[in-house]
Amino acid sequence: LADDYIARQMIFTDGLPAAMRSSMLNDLVAGNRLEAPWLSGAVARMAVELGVSAPVSATFFAAMKPYLAGTPP
């Protein structure tokens, strides 16, 4: 990565609208199916397979499990 990569990403992030939400949050709020198994779930599974730690991805995926198919009844 370029030496200024982090600085450029922070500038980009700081320029995003405060009200902007991720597509997964939009899906969660709308009660739609979530793409978590293919994103954070995949990271958590690969981490286990490789014997490395991915606590944020594993925790996020565990928290989202009740909502994977949409809003639970």
Side-chain angles (χ1 to χ4, degrees):
L1 299 175
D3 290 340
D4 66 341
Y5 178 79
I6 292 173
R8 287 187 292 120
Q9 294 306 308
M10 294 304 293
I11 291 168
F12 170 76
T13 302
D14 287 343
L16 295 173
M20 187 171 180
R21 300 189 311 190
S22 69
S23 63
M24 196 179 318
L25 178 55
N26 288 330
D27 289 338
L28 180 65
V29 170
N32 297 332
R33 291 182 53 142
L34 301 182
E35 57 206 0
W38 301 277
L39 299 174
S40 57
V43 171
R45 284 189 304 278
M46 287 186 276
V48 169
E49 291 170 6
L50 295 170
V52 297
S53 180
V56 173
S57 293
T59 301
F60 177 79
F61 184 61
M64 293 296 99
K65 277 186 178 181
Y67 306 97
L68 294 181
T71 304

